[in-house]
Amino acid sequence: KEVKSGEMCASKIEPELIYDDIRLYIFFAARYHRQIFKYSGATVYMREAINQVNERFGIDLFDCELGGCHVYLSARIPSSMSAAEAISQYKRASMSIFRDNIFELKDVRQIWTRKYFVSTRKPQQATLDAFLAAQPNRPLPRSHASNEI
């Protein structure tokens, strides 16, 4: 049926045609700009946590950059999962592995900030730098200040 201007058109659209797996650019940082990846083995443990989450939830990883205090991922997540769920899983898995394997992080309550950056287009470095600069950078609590490198 031809639709004329101003007429409403109702049709059945299959959900998988509207929303398929989507590639996301994900960026999150450690609290207080803590240099997580300077601890011995931290990079290996973070990659292990990322791989565990990817296998468990069917996430395809395209790129992974681990900076001093941040994680940058390019991944395709399943349509059944939100970006917030994926990031939560990455943070949860890494916190568990870090606490079990890195003595200096054993008693740290929260390693990652609550905030994160997500985009469907590759962000410019200036955008990521601005996000990182906007994260709180206050002194560590006394109980953890002595554990910093």
Side-chain angles (χ1 to χ4, degrees), residues 92-145:
R92 186 177 296 129
S94 62
M95 280 181 19
S96 175
I97 289 175
F98 284 161
R99 285 188 184 136
D100 290 345
N101 296 291
I102 300 175
F103 178 77
E104 295 87 352
L105 299 176
K106 180 178 66 132
D107 297 324
V108 176
R109 266 186 0 156
Q110 190 68 18
I111 294 172
W112 306 109
T113 63
R114 291 183 188 149
K115 296 181 180 182
Y116 54 85
F117 176 89
V118 176
S119 178
T120 55
R121 292 187 175 167
K122 186 171 184 169
Q124 295 182 357
Q125 188 61 45
T127 304
L128 299 177
D129 292 342
F131 172 81
L132 193 57
Q135 300 307 302
N137 191 14
R138 56 188 169 173
L140 291 171
R142 286 183 190 263
S143 63
H144 302 296

Side-chain angles (χ1 to χ4, degrees), residues 23-72:
R23 183 174 182 164
L24 297 177
Y25 298 89
I26 300 167
F27 188 83
F28 57 93
R31 289 176 66 111
Y32 313 124
H33 295 251
R34 182 181 280 123
Q35 298 296 304
I36 296 291
F37 299 108
K38 290 193 176 183
Y39 291 111
S40 178
T43 302
V44 173
Y45 298 132
M46 186 66 198
R47 290 187 188 281
E48 182 181 326
I50 289 168
N51 288 336
Q52 285 176 3
V53 171
N54 291 347
E55 287 176 22
R56 182 172 178 202
F57 295 100
I59 297 172
D60 296 323
L61 185 67
F62 298 109
D63 189 22
C64 174
E65 177 189 309
L66 306 176
C69 68
H70 70 271
V71 175
Y72 173 75

Side-chain angles (χ1 to χ4, degrees), residues 81-95:
M81 181 179 236
S82 71
E85 290 170 318
I87 294 166
S88 176
Q89 292 299 328
Y90 286 129
K91 289 179 178 180
R92 186 177 296 129
S94 62
M95 280 181 19

